[in-house]
Amino acid sequence: MKRTAKLSKADKELIAAATAAIKERYRYDWQEVGAALRTRSGNIFTGINLDAYLGRMAVCAEAVALGRAFVDLGDDGIDTIVAVRHPDPDEKSQDVAVVSPCGACRELIFDYDRKARVIVPNGKSAEAVPIADLLPNKYRRGPER
Ligand SMILES: [Zn+2]
């Protein structure tokens, strides 16, 4: 897949869905990231991060969205996924903005669809890139296949 600078209408809808999810459930220091994914069959699922007092129990918004998709549809693949961050109340800009997936989420996304597109920041805008471009030398449990 080629890197695309311009987002499609469907990509913008996905960003809007992630933004709506975190705007609805934002809680300072607890829920600050929203995510949305479109499955291969075209269904959209959203998630928000679940922070935890015991930090290692925290779950990213992308994983919550994927879990919701998997419960409803099983392994339907990930066409495109995006995460957005809600600003803290004291931040100058109150815009919800696209953020890159963390390293663990990159592994997760690749594990569930190695052809997934991921919307990532590109300056003040965003672009969609293949997950493989975000994860060189992916971790493997066994020999390469
Ligand atoms: Zn993550």
Side-chain angles (χ1 to χ4, degrees), residues 6-83:
K6 200 164 183 226
L7 298 178
S8 69
K9 187 176 171 213
D11 293 336
K12 289 175 185 166
E13 284 171 6
L14 214 53
I15 294 170
T19 300
I22 195 56
K23 278 191 169 176
E24 176 80 16
R25 299 291 176 218
Y26 172 79
R27 284 196 305 157
Y28 175 73
D29 215 27
W30 284 95
Q31 274 73 48
E32 300 186 324
V33 177
L37 71 82
R38 177 176 283 103
T39 67
R40 291 280 166 200
S41 62
N43 292 283
I44 292 178
F45 290 88
T46 59
I48 55 169
N49 74 298
L50 302 175
D51 208 345
Y53 191 76
L54 187 60
R56 68 184 174 86
M57 295 306 295
V59 180
C60 291
E62 295 96 317
V64 172
L66 179 61
R68 293 179 79 189
F70 218 91
V71 167
D72 278 11
L73 302 178
D75 189 5
D76 195 32
I78 302 168
D79 177 81
T80 307
I81 188 165
V82 65

Side-chain angles (χ1 to χ4, degrees), residues 87-104:
D88 292 338
D90 63 346
E91 288 182 37
K92 194 171 166 190
S93 169
Q94 287 298 301
D95 294 338
V96 173
V98 171
V99 290
S100 290
C102 74

